[in-house]
Amino acid sequence: MKYRNLPGIDTPVSEVGFGVWSVATPWWGVKDDAFGKRLLRMAYEEYGITFFDTADVYGQGKGETLLAEALEGLRDKVVIATKFGYDIYAKRGDRHGGHSELPQRWDAASIRKSCEESLRRLKTDVIDIYQLHNARMEAIQSEEVLETLERLKEEGKIRTYGVALGPDIGWRDEGLATLEEERYDMAQIINNLLEQDPARELIKEAEKRNKALIARVPHASGLLDGTYDPDKHFDKHDHRSHRPIKWMQAGLDAVRQMKFLYEGTDRTIGQAAILYSLASPAIKSVLPNITSEENLREFAQAPEKTPLSEEEMKKIEELWEGGLKEQLKQPFSNSKNKPTPVAAR
C-alpha cells in the first residue's frame, strides 16, 4: 500500500480506501454483518488500508456501528470519514418515497445532533473528516452550516470537513463552489474512465487550489472491474439495476477501446481503473466497492502496479474528447433515460 496526506489529518490515508456502504447496505449483496466486519478488519491488517468512509444514513446508522466494531482497538491507526445531512431520525410519515425518501436538515441543531450520534455509534471522541452528504448549493454556501462546522472543529469533535458531492454524475457548480470556499478542505467526487465529467474540471481546480479530493465509483458499477454481466438480471436492490441498460452497453464498448490499459501490462482492468484516479496528486484516496476477499486483494494491490504513463493518460483524453464522451452521453439524450439518483450514496 502507498499513502498520501490529507489537510488537517496526521495519519496518512491509504491510496485505496474502503467505502463502508458496500458492507452496510444491500446495494452490492453483502448481507452478512460478520463477513462485512471481517473484510473491514482484513483491509487494515492484511493490506494496510487506513482510510474508511461511511455515513450516518448507511443502514440508518449501521455503517458506523459496524465500522466501530470491526476496527476496535485501531482508532489511532486509521482515518474515519462519515457524512451528515439526511434526517435519519425523521418519523416515517415525514419521509419521501422512492430513492429520495429522507429529507435533509442543515440547521445548526440538526448538524450537532447528527455529529453527536455519529460519535456515539463510531465509539470515538473525534471524527477525522465530516462531510455534507449530497448537499445542494444552498447548504454548501450556508454560513450557518460553515459556522457550525467551525465550532465543532474548535471543540475537537471533528478534525476537518468537506462535501461528498452527488448523488449522480453532475454537480459541477456545487463542486466548484466547494473548492472555492476556503473553509472546506476536501470534496468527494465520482471519477472513472467512463464518467470523466465534471471530474476532469474539478480535479484541475483542486490541483490549482491545493484542495484534497476523494474519488468514488472508480469501476462504474462493475463495468471497469470485470464483474458486470450483460446477461444477468440485477435485483432492484442492486445499484447496477438503476443504470440504464443502453448506457451499460455503451460502457462495455468503451471498455474494449481501453484494453491498452491492462492487456499486456502488470495490471488488471480493475487496478487500471483505480490508477486512473491516482494519476492526480489531488486525489488522496480511491473508494472501490469491496464485497469479497478477492476484490479486496485485487484493489488493495493497485498502488503497487505500474502507474499510468503520460502517454496512456494522453490516449485516454484523446479517446474521451474524440467521441467516447458523446457515445456515453447518447443513452441519456432522452429525458426518460436519465440516471436514477441514489440519495443514500
Side-chain angles (χ1 to χ4, degrees), residues 155-194:
E155 293 164 18
K157 295 187 177 184
I158 65 175
R159 288 199 168 96
T160 189
Y161 59 86
V163 180
L165 297 161
D168 51 25
I169 194 60
W171 304 86
R172 169 190 176 273
D173 293 343
E174 288 81 359
L176 291 175
T178 298
L179 296 172
E180 289 166 3
E181 169 55 60
E182 292 183 1
R183 286 168 286 186
Y184 291 121
D185 288 317
M186 57 78 63
Q188 185 178 140
I189 64 172
I190 292 172
N191 185 50
N192 61 65
L193 288 159
L194 306 182

Side-chain angles (χ1 to χ4, degrees), residues 44-105:
Y44 173 80
E45 292 185 339
E46 297 191 20
Y47 299 103
I49 290 177
T50 60
F51 180 55
F52 296 85
D53 178 79
T54 188
D56 58 4
V57 77
Y58 295 169
Q60 306 295 285
K62 178 181 173 181
E64 293 176 331
T65 56
L66 199 71
L67 184 62
E69 292 168 3
L71 300 183
E72 185 176 1
L74 299 176
R75 181 63 189 95
D76 62 339
K77 297 178 174 63
V78 298
V79 175
I80 293 176
T82 193
K83 309 180 191 75
F84 70 97
Y86 286 105
D87 188 0
I88 66 173
Y89 312 102
K91 295 177 182 178
R92 186 173 297 275
D94 296 334
R95 300 181 181 186
H96 306 296
H99 293 286
S100 301
E101 62 177 2
L102 293 179
Q104 291 182 315
R105 299 282 185 265

Side-chain angles (χ1 to χ4, degrees), residues 84 105-112 130 132 137-153 158 161 181 183-184:
F84 70 97
R105 299 282 185 265
W106 302 109
D107 59 281
S110 295
I111 295 172
R112 282 190 168 275
Y130 206 35
L132 285 72
M137 187 69 81
E138 184 178 359
I140 291 170
Q141 296 181 329
S142 167
E143 277 301 314
E144 182 175 7
V145 170
L146 286 159
E147 288 174 8
T148 303
L149 291 170
E150 281 295 310
R151 299 294 83 75
L152 289 171
K153 191 173 179 181
I158 65 175
Y161 59 86
E181 169 55 60
R183 286 168 286 186
Y184 291 121

Side-chain angles (χ1 to χ4, degrees), residues 5 12 30 64 74 82 99 115 142 147 152 161 167 172 179 198 201-202 230 239 258 283 286 310 313 342:
N5 294 313
V30 177
E64 293 176 331
L74 299 176
T82 193
H99 293 286
C115 183
S142 167
E147 288 174 8
L152 289 171
Y161 59 86
R172 169 190 176 273
L179 296 172
E201 185 175 358
L202 297 178
H239 183 256
M258 295 187 180
I283 294 181
V286 180
E310 289 185 14
M313 291 297 290
V342 182

Side-chain angles (χ1 to χ4, degrees), residues 30-47:
V30 177
K31 299 177 182 178
D32 184 337
D33 289 354
F35 177 68
K37 286 191 282 188
R38 187 162 73 250
L39 277 181
L40 288 163
R41 188 82 181 192
M42 185 183 298
Y44 173 80
E45 292 185 339
E46 297 191 20
Y47 299 103

Side-chain angles (χ1 to χ4, degrees), residues 166-285:
D168 51 25
I169 194 60
W171 304 86
R172 169 190 176 273
D173 293 343
E174 288 81 359
L176 291 175
T178 298
L179 296 172
E180 289 166 3
E181 169 55 60
E182 292 183 1
R183 286 168 286 186
Y184 291 121
D185 288 317
M186 57 78 63
Q188 185 178 140
I189 64 172
I190 292 172
N191 185 50
N192 61 65
L193 288 159
L194 306 182
E195 295 172 298
Q196 297 183 29
D197 293 327
R200 286 158 60 90
E201 185 175 358
L202 297 178
I203 289 169
K204 288 180 181 177
E205 189 68 18
E207 290 175 347
K208 183 176 77 173
R209 295 179 178 275
N210 197 29
K211 292 291 185 80
L213 297 175
I214 303 297
R216 71 177 189 273
V217 200
H219 296 124
S221 299
L223 284 171
L224 291 165
D225 63 8
T227 62
Y228 176 70
D229 182 351
D231 297 320
K232 181 179 178 180
H233 171 73
F234 293 102
D235 180 87
K236 66 179 182 179
H237 295 298
D238 190 299
H239 183 256
R240 288 161 287 193
S241 70
H242 298 280
R243 292 278 199 174
I245 292 175
K246 288 185 178 180
W247 185 85
M248 297 296 278
Q249 291 170 339
L252 285 173
D253 180 63
V255 170
R256 286 190 282 271
Q257 297 180 54
M258 295 187 180
K259 286 185 177 181
F260 64 92
L261 293 175
Y262 54 95
E263 287 192 349
T265 74
D266 63 344
R267 325 171 187 118
T268 65
I269 180 175
Q271 291 168 339
I274 290 171
L275 289 167
Y276 168 70
S277 283
L278 291 174
S280 167
I283 294 181
K284 306 304 181 181
S285 188

